[in-house]
Amino acid sequence: MIDHENLRASNAPFMRDFQEAFADVLESGWYILGNSVTSFEIEFGSYIGSRHCIGVANGLDALTMSLAAFKFEPGSEVIVPSNTYIATVLSVVNAGLVPVLVEPDIHTYTIDPRKIGEAITPRTRALIVVHLYGKSCEMDPILAIAKKHVLAVIEDCAQSHGASYKGKKTGTFGDFGAFSFYPTKNLGALGDAGAVTTDDDGRALAIRRLRNYGSDVKHYNEVVGFNSRLDEVQAAFLSVKLKRLDEITAHKRKLAALYLDGIKGDFVLPAVHPDHFDVYHIFSIRHPRRDDLKKYLFDNGVAADIHYPVPPHRQNALKNILKGEFPIADEIHSTTLSLPISFATTEEEVLKVIEVLNTF
Ligand SMILES: *Cc1c(COP(=O)(O)O)cnc(C)c1O
């Protein structure tokens, strides 16, 4: 079986370095907010091109605390894409704010800048863009709208480590970049982990406080905070992998190029544009008979996955919160299929997947 993802195999090239990194943390005797977190924050900030990087517990908290840092009035509206993982929407709800969904562009799958304007009301305070599947959103028109309406911009970079738009990396466009290092992400830890990037000194301080019980100085609490610190052991593992993130990205881009070149027939392939350096967190194709296609692949030794089968507006958890119809998000969720494109996936395996697809 060709796996969609096999975390043991994807992490195998790092095993020895992980063991050394773990031994260092163990020996240090300092397990919360120590040298590993500090080092990783400096390394990742410099990789992204952001002045500050603050390690946090996970991607959802990175988003929630980014919103909390603004202290918007309860009930303020935040625009989020209808086509995303539920975490993006939950961050808004958890921050006591109101999510307003905007449909994606059917070609890029990211938020449609032409539809943002009509969702803005006098209560809109912020916009969360999601660089879905490893492709940056159209940041020029988005930043222009945000500027015109004085909206905060938060980038959900959980799927876009190293992706760029017009030569600038995601996580450097908005007021905050919110990253997840969940194990399957392009830069994945061996447990939960996340980070927030920002160029603003004051905002960086606000996140540092929020992640650590609202405290700057031990025993003194300035705001009502969270316990959402990046774990010292995970930070050490992440530093190991960050050194080879460009290699991971290059591998995924090589596999994507094979798919783009080899897949024939009535499949909708990911959009490619010279302004975008895509990192292919997921390689999504679309087909009207998606479920049959998934089964056909499985019967022929290929495990494909679906990101995601149920959109946020159709989740029971959000049915009283999200109102309206989102046919483009529905269309994507019912036709998308994710092909194997992990660090452990080989070129031979991709050629095999292409061969099976082309006989469907
Ligand atoms: C994974 C993911 C998150 C949440 O990250 P966690 O670390 O699991 O909390 C948020 N947004 C998107 C788009 C994601 O893919």
Side-chain angles (χ1 to χ4, degrees):
M1 182 63 69
I2 299 175
D3 290 313
H4 181 261
E5 172 65 278
N6 175 334
L7 286 173
R8 195 183 190 291
S10 288
N11 283 308
F14 309 99
M15 288 292 176
R16 208 172 279 271
D17 291 341
F18 282 160
Q19 279 160 356
E20 257 175 46
F22 176 70
D24 287 347
V25 175
L26 187 62
E27 294 288 332
S28 78
W30 190 296
Y31 305 126
I32 297 286
L33 295 184
N35 290 335
S36 307
V37 169
T38 304
S39 300
F40 176 70
E41 287 176 341
I42 293 168
E43 293 156 13
F44 193 67
S46 125
Y47 178 83
I48 293 299
S50 193
R51 289 193 51 228
H52 301 279
C53 170
I54 304 99
V56 303
N58 56 63
L60 173 60
D61 285 0
L63 288 164
T64 308
M65 292 191 291
S66 294
L67 287 166
F70 287 102
K71 300 187 176 140
F72 296 127
E73 245 175 81
S76 297
E77 293 173 2
V78 179
I79 292 175
V80 289
S82 55
N83 186 43
T84 184
Y85 179 59
I86 192 170
T88 320
V89 183
L90 290 182
S91 72
V92 178
V93 178
N94 289 349
L97 306 169
V98 179
V100 175
L101 300 191
V102 168
E103 287 268 69
D105 178 290
I106 190 65
H107 304 292
T108 62
Y109 309 140
T110 55
I111 194 165
D112 188 339
R114 293 162 299 186
K115 294 191 179 135
I116 295 173
E118 61 205 52
I120 295 173
T121 75
R123 283 146 52 100
T124 311
R125 293 290 173 271
L127 167 61
I128 305 184
V129 297
V130 182
H131 306 302
L132 200 72
Y133 300 159
K135 178 191 284 301
S136 168
C137 298
E138 297 290 336
M139 292 315 294
D140 280 351
I142 289 170
L143 293 172
I145 296 164
K147 190 165 182 206
K148 182 171 162 209
H149 295 272
V150 201
L151 304 180
V153 176
I154 296 165
E155 301 174 69
D156 181 339
C157 303
Q159 305 192 359
S160 69
H161 317 75
S164 62
Y165 170 77
K166 299 190 176 173
K168 194 168 148 60
K169 284 203 176 88
T170 60
T172 62
F173 291 97
D175 296 292
F176 288 115
F179 288 84
S180 164
F181 307 115
Y182 181 83
T184 59
K185 310 291 189 189
N186 285 24
L187 179 60
L190 305 184
D192 279 309
V196 176
T197 54
T198 180
D199 276 341
D200 185 283
D201 298 352
R203 292 201 176 104
L205 187 68
I207 300 292
R208 285 191 187 283
R209 258 183 198 166
L210 282 171
R211 76 166 172 187
N212 192 27
Y213 288 110
S215 171
D216 303 328
V217 176
K218 198 171 176 180
H219 302 307
Y220 293 87
N221 304 77
E222 309 302 329
V223 294
V224 176
F226 299 73
N227 173 359
S228 182
R229 302 170 290 224
L230 173 59
D231 183 81
E232 191 67 7
V233 175
Q234 297 304 333
F237 293 151
L238 286 166
S239 285
V240 166
K241 278 180 104 169
L242 178 59
K243 290 190 186 72
R244 291 173 67 185
L245 177 55
D246 285 341
E247 191 189 324
I248 296 172
T249 301
H251 180 73
K252 288 165 87 76
R253 284 175 55 85
K254 178 82 214 289
L255 301 183
L258 289 176
Y259 280 133
L260 289 166
D261 186 53
I263 298 174
K264 309 289 175 213
D266 54 352
F267 303 99
V268 181
L269 299 180
V272 176
H273 191 279
D275 285 349
H276 295 253
F277 180 85
D278 302 327
V279 298
Y280 296 100
H281 169 57
I282 278 162
F283 191 91
S284 151
I285 61 170
R286 290 197 298 117
H287 193 279
R289 286 166 52 221
R290 188 267 314 277
D291 294 335
D292 293 342
L293 176 61
K294 182 166 187 275
K295 179 164 186 313
Y296 182 77
L297 285 168
F298 189 83
D299 291 344
N300 286 279
V302 180
D305 208 342
I306 299 174
H307 298 88
Y308 298 91
V310 184
H313 70 275
R314 295 200 180 276
Q315 298 289 354
N316 287 337
L318 297 173
K319 69 173 174 241
N320 296 324
I321 296 173
L322 300 177
K323 293 165 198 85
E325 305 275 307
F326 304 97
I328 303 178
D330 283 335
E331 168 72 16
I332 295 168
H333 281 72
S334 60
T335 56
T336 189
L337 190 66
S338 312
L339 302 180
I341 193 160
S342 81
F343 193 43
T345 308
T346 65
E347 292 180 29
E348 292 68 41
E349 286 176 321
V350 165
L351 295 175
K352 172 80 200 308
V353 177
I354 294 169
E355 203 182 296
V356 176
L357 272 172
N358 289 346
T359 58
F360 176 66

